Amino acid sequence: MAETEILARLILAASGMHGADPAAVDTMVIDQTLGKAVTDPNSPVHGRDAGDIAAQLTGDTGPERRLDMMLRLGPYGDGFGVRPDGLTLQQLLAHPHGIDLGPLASRLPQPLKTRSGKVELLPQPIVDDLPRLRQAMSERADGLVLVGRRHLRSNNSWMHNVPALTGGTNRCTLHIHPDDAERLGVVDGAPVRVKGAGER
């Protein structure tokens, strides 16, 4: 199953449409994106018919049609005919070694969607959570921090049920600095239990 189909099925399940055709997600995204674009004064397709534009999309699959749409609506795109020399999916496929778009040019602040109209490096939700973080760090008596590992065999756990990848040695392992292990009485190969805050 393609990753795009996996994501589409998750979207359908989360929106109460479990079992529906994953292609419905592609259609929904295209309809919503083009519907918004034709009402945006900054869009190259402003004022045009969204259905007519959708009929011009190319690609053998829904994800390819979405890619064609995003390329053509983007800053280097053809704008669905507005800029005939602009990018399309067909043009990219015709140039498998890439296309030189020239030096980078600033587009700010037009693409920003923040309320402030600025690049928000420290959004308020993170600011609000800093006191909790400081408190948690001050209460950590053992000085240890648990960091999740990324295994090629499980790919962040989403392939952990693939039969070809489930064999071999145990991959649920804990790596700890020898100094910390000695201090805590942990020996190599011994089973350990990792507990979060508030667990017994």
Side-chain angles (χ1 to χ4, degrees), residues 100-177:
D100 186 353
L101 300 176
L104 293 176
S106 176
R107 296 181 58 230
L108 296 177
Q110 189 270 326
L112 292 178
K113 305 303 180 185
T114 57
R115 291 183 180 179
S116 65
K118 300 178 181 179
V119 178
E120 298 179 354
L121 299 179
L122 189 59
Q124 194 60 42
I126 294 180
V127 173
D128 294 341
D129 199 44
L130 288 178
R132 182 200 60 79
L133 174 61
R134 291 190 183 100
Q135 181 68 23
M137 292 179 68
S138 66
E139 293 177 352
R140 194 175 63 237
D142 57 19
L144 298 178
V145 176
L146 180 65
V147 180
R149 299 188 66 222
R150 303 185 71 179
H151 257 302
L152 289 176
R153 290 184 58 172
S154 67
N155 228 345
N156 299 334
S157 81
W158 71 272
M159 293 198 305
H160 67 276
N161 289 324
V162 177
L165 300 176
T166 56
T169 59
N170 179 21
R171 298 290 167 170
C172 185
T173 56
L174 177 71
H175 294 248
I176 186 171
H177 191 280

